[in-house]
């Protein structure tokens, strides 16, 4: 995460998303979800909390998302 957006890396791909591509987020017990408020867009990004190394990392991630996105 940067001030520009998210970069997601897997073994097979790398995807970068500007914050404006998915300007909203929700949080569940197990994950954060970023998504578009455009009803014609069906993409979203899942950020699983199991990937966080420390419980305080969820607070830091939430603060970053709150700074750049609208909680929905």
């Amino acid at each position: 995460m940067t001030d520009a957006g998210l970069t997601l890396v897997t073994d097979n791909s790398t995807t970068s998303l500007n914050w404006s591509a998915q300007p909203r987020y929700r949080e569940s017990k197990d994950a954060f979800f970023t998504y578009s408020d455009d009803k014609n867009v069906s993409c979203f990004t899942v950020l699983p909390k199991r990937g966080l190394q420390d419980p305080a990392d969820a607070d830091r991630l939430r603060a970053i998302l709150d700074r750049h996105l609208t909680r929905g």
Side-chain angles (χ1 to χ4, degrees), residues 22 36 38-44:
Q22 295 180 340
S36 175
D38 182 343
K39 302 226 184 293
N40 295 316
V41 176
S42 61
C43 295
F44 62 94

Side-chain angles (χ1 to χ4, degrees), residues 7-72:
T7 299
L8 308 159
V9 179
T10 70
D11 290 341
N12 300 310
S13 67
T14 299
T15 302
S16 293
L17 297 166
N18 292 333
W19 293 117
S20 61
Q22 295 180 340
R24 300 181 67 74
Y25 87 94
R26 289 188 181 173
E27 180 179 358
S28 73
K29 181 181 90 147
D30 298 318
F32 293 93
F33 302 87
T34 65
Y35 60 97
S36 175
D37 50 3
D38 182 343
K39 302 226 184 293
N40 295 316
V41 176
S42 61
C43 295
F44 62 94
T45 302
V46 179
L47 304 169
K49 290 181 180 177
R50 70 176 179 267
L52 302 173
Q53 298 202 4
D54 185 284
D57 290 340
D59 294 332
R60 287 190 285 277
L61 178 53
R62 189 178 304 105
I64 292 168
L65 295 173
D66 281 339
R67 191 167 49 247
H68 296 285
L69 306 178
T70 301
R71 193 183 302 218

